[in-house]
Amino acid sequence: NPGVEEKILEELDRVVITQTVGESGEEQGIFSSIEELNKMVYLHGAISETLRLYPSVPNEPKQSMEADVLPSGHAVGKNTRILVSIYSMGRMEEVWGKDWMEFKPERWISERTEGNNIINDAYKFAAFLAGPRSCPGRKIAFMQLKNIASCVLRRYKIVVVDDHPVLPLPSIMMFMKYGLKVRVLSRKPENK
Ligand code: HEM
């Protein structure tokens, strides 16, 4: 998605100062500070959007302890197995609107609040699940993903090989059916 890539790079150019350039012109592999990571709002939206469409845990089995009625009106008996499809939830028009198929980091960014302006509703975006047993590693995961994406994208351009089929292989974890064949190009000025 070249448009999104360009916006991420613009944001990183504005925000990142700790990943400095060495004497040889090579960037040093220094990770970003927490302050810098918090300012990577567009990148945060892009990662959220990726996890909305391709959640690492696509399905989540649960079991009821008591009979209950779900907010949807569905009655559930005692000791009944329920499969929550996180993958499907990320693609529902009722939840995300008519443009659910579009990769839009902007949908995560609220203009109403400054600073911490990422929309964060676990019951809508269930990639880390919601409630008391939701993922306690969510913040660390975002910190790691933003740091790695920032280091890689500032140094390299990743181009998917033409006609490579990009298909999910759902299992307990989400894998890529045929892997992802890419070309890795250096972003050194002479390669641009
Ligand atoms: C993109 C990255 C990640 C995703 C999408 C993710 C997603 C999830 C999900 C869906 C669950 C609920 C599983 C279940 O109840 O069956 C979970 C649980 C958990 N996650 Fe993550 N996770 C991520 C990264 C991490 C990291 C980096 C850590 C630790 C540093 C972590 C630690 C845990 C732990 C300890 C639980 C079990 C919580 C409990 O059972 O109460 N996760 N994660």
Side-chain angles (χ1 to χ4, degrees), residues 51 56-57 60 62 127-129 133-137 140-141 144-145:
L51 287 168
S56 319
V57 182
E60 191 54 65
K62 294 285 173 204
F128 295 91
L129 227 59
R133 296 301 296 268
S134 62
C135 176
I140 295 177
Q144 290 179 338
L145 287 165

